[in-house]
């Protein structure tokens, strides 16, 4: 019986992912803030792209707040303001770079609708406390909703003539991107995943909201079954959400470039909105800083990865 329950939950994280229509509150309003961005985060129109077949399109996906709130994704966030949905500056630096005969363009997608309510979470918590497991997940987390939104946007761009598409993302946007690449490797060339996470801090999913620990383990188990993932994953040992240790299973999956960048110390990196340095435990926030951009460019990680997969 336990095996049947686990199988049904894995189905939720896989084939059922894109089954329903996207009737999400505020989605149309949120998506209007999506736009193409240049190397400084300035917006421009799709009409400025003259040759879609010769374009390597990167669909970038922001991080997320808790499920009960709508994510902040501003129309024109300041450079590095990842908490407002800004693209990580190291990704922006790829704008107009050449990969073989393709020119890179970046589309910043806003997709942060609300996920589960507190009432819904409590329902699954009660199941877990009473039965030791959750038998059937009928409701969607924010990350699963975002995966659906991202995939629909990807299909739209393919219909418009873009043939080479890569996903990038920070935090929950990275987690959503990795899940999608595991399911649709024929549609997604690869993923740039920066500090992937989607289940909150350990104290949240392990104690206060154990249902999230269950969701986390189930999704981890699903990803571990991946035969291959064309991806480059960046992770830091001072990340409050996931670390090189908790994400170490990715090392065993074919096609994964696993980059532990713990050599970068948060205390040596500055916040995007201030001149002072981060705290010693702020590893999750490093990608907004110029120190991360310099680290990426010095090692040429992203260009090498894209040249490998194209």
């Amino acid at each position: 019986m336990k095996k049947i329950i686990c199988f049904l939950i894995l189905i939720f994280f896989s084939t059922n992912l894109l089954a329903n229509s996207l009737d999400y509150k505020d989605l149309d309003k949120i998506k209007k803030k999506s736009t193409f961005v240049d190397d400084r985060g300035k917006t421009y129109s799709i009409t400025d792209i003259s040759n879609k077949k010769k374009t390597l399109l990167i669909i970038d996906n922001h991080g997320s707040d808790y499920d009960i709130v709508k994510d902040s994704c501003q129309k024109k966030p300041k450079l590095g303001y990842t908490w407002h949905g800004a693209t990580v500056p190291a990704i922006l630096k790829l704008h107009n770079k050449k990969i073989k005969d393709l020119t890179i363009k970046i589309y910043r997608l806003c997709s942060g609708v609300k996920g589960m309510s507190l009432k819904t979470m409590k329902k699954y918590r009660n199941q877990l406390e009473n039965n030791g497991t959750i038998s059937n997940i009928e409701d969607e987390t924010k990350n699963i909703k975002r995966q659906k939104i991202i995939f629909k946007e990807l299909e739209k761009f393919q219909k418009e003539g873009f043939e080479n598409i890569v996903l990038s993302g920070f935090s929950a946007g990275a987690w959503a991107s990795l899940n999608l690449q595991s399911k649709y490797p024929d549609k997604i060339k690869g993923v740039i995943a920066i500090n992937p996470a989607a289940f909150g801090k350990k104290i949240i999913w392990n104690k206060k909201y154990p249902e999230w620990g269950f969701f986390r383990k189930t999704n981890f188990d699903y990803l571990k079954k991946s035969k291959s993932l064309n991806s480059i994953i960046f992770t830091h040992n001072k990340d409050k959400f996931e670390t090189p240790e908790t994400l170490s299973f990715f090392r065993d999956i074919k096609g994964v470039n696993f980059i532990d960048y713990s050599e970068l110390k948060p205390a040596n990196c500055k916040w995007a909105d201030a001149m002072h340095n981060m705290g010693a435990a702020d590893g999750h926030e490093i990608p907004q800083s110029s120190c991360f951009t310099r680290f990426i460019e010095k090692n040429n990680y992203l260009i090498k990865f894209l040249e490998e997969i194209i």
Side-chain angles (χ1 to χ4, degrees):
M1 182 65 181
K2 186 176 180 180
K3 288 184 178 179
I4 294 174
I5 290 173
C6 290
F7 174 75
L8 289 173
I9 293 170
L10 284 174
I11 289 292
F12 172 76
F13 281 101
S14 55
T15 55
N16 189 47
L17 180 63
L18 304 170
N20 301 321
S21 61
L22 305 187
D23 186 20
Y24 300 143
K25 183 180 179 181
D26 295 326
L27 177 58
D28 290 341
K29 183 178 180 180
I30 291 170
K31 283 181 61 179
K32 287 180 180 178
K33 299 177 182 179
S34 304
T35 182
F36 284 89
V37 288
D38 66 13
D39 58 341
R40 296 297 296 172
K42 303 299 183 183
T43 65
Y44 64 94
S45 171
I46 191 173
T47 58
D48 294 331
I49 301 175
S50 59
N51 193 337
K52 295 171 183 175
K53 287 188 177 182
K54 292 294 185 181
T55 296
L56 173 53
L57 176 61
I58 297 178
I59 301 177
D60 185 65
N61 302 286
H62 56 80
S64 281
D65 207 327
Y66 293 111
D67 259 45
I68 59 174
V69 299
K70 183 174 63 176
D71 292 336
S72 173
C73 191
Q74 295 186 358
K75 178 71 174 179
K76 297 180 180 180
K78 293 183 179 180
L79 185 69
Y81 280 38
T82 53
W83 58 95
H84 285 163
T87 297
V88 168
I91 299 294
L92 293 178
K93 288 287 187 178
L94 295 172
H95 172 70
N96 274 349
K97 291 286 194 301
K98 292 282 188 178
I99 302 296
K100 299 180 181 178
D101 62 340
L102 303 177
T103 302
I104 296 176
K105 301 294 181 182
I106 302 163
Y107 182 75
R108 187 179 68 93
L109 175 60
C110 292
S111 59
V113 297
K114 288 183 180 181
M116 288 186 177
S117 66
L118 288 174
K119 182 178 179 180
T120 300
M121 293 180 205
K122 187 175 181 180
K123 175 181 71 173
Y124 291 118
R125 195 178 318 133
N126 289 339
Q127 278 192 41
L128 192 59
E129 291 173 352
N130 295 331
N131 306 320
T133 189
I134 298 175
S135 58
N136 186 25
I137 306 174
E138 299 172 339
D139 306 274
E140 296 172 327
T141 64
K142 179 188 289 188
N143 201 262
I144 286 181
K145 288 181 177 181
R146 291 191 61 193
Q147 289 175 45
K148 290 186 176 185
I149 296 167
I150 295 165
F151 188 76
K152 290 294 183 184
E153 202 73 6
L154 183 149
E155 288 189 313
K156 183 196 77 174
F157 280 122
Q158 287 180 326
K159 290 177 182 177
E160 291 178 351
F162 291 94
E163 298 178 352
N164 297 281
I165 299 178
V166 167
L167 299 182
S168 69
F170 168 66
S171 191
W175 195 262
S177 299
L178 288 167
N179 272 271
L180 285 169
Q181 214 278 326
S182 73
K183 300 173 184 67
Y184 303 100
D186 57 324
K187 291 179 175 289
I188 302 165
K189 296 288 186 181
V191 168
I192 300 170
I194 301 174
N195 293 7
F199 303 95
K201 299 175 184 178
K202 185 175 181 179
I203 193 173
I204 296 292
W205 56 258
N206 194 41
K207 293 183 178 181
K208 190 174 182 180
Y209 298 104
E211 66 275 17
W212 282 96
F214 184 90
F215 299 154
R216 178 180 179 273
K217 182 181 183 304
T218 303
N219 200 186
F220 272 43
D221 289 345
Y222 171 76
L223 286 170
K224 287 176 183 178
K225 295 179 183 296
S226 301
K227 293 182 179 179
S228 66
L229 276 175
N230 282 342
S231 60
I232 183 166
I233 299 174
F234 295 90
T235 179
H236 197 283
N237 64 10
K238 293 299 182 182
D239 195 314
K240 297 176 182 178
F241 299 96
E242 303 291 349
T243 65
E245 182 180 0
T246 65
L247 299 177
S248 62
F249 69 89
F250 280 114
R251 294 180 184 270
D252 300 323
I253 301 176
K254 181 181 177 181
V256 172
N257 294 267
F258 194 86
I259 310 297
D260 178 350
Y261 69 99
S262 301
E263 65 186 78
L264 273 186
K265 305 304 179 185
N268 294 330
C269 298
K270 288 182 169 53
W271 295 97
D273 64 338
M275 291 306 294
H276 63 269
N277 290 7
M278 298 177 179
D282 290 323
H284 192 71
E285 310 304 332
I286 289 177
Q288 68 180 262
S289 176
S290 59
C291 72
F292 183 78
T293 304
R294 291 193 297 270
F295 172 78
I296 295 297
E297 292 189 318
K298 177 183 176 181
N299 293 282
N300 203 28
Y301 283 125
L302 301 185
I303 295 297
K304 286 179 181 178
F305 170 67
L306 294 172
E307 288 176 340
E308 287 174 3
I309 65 173
I310 298 300

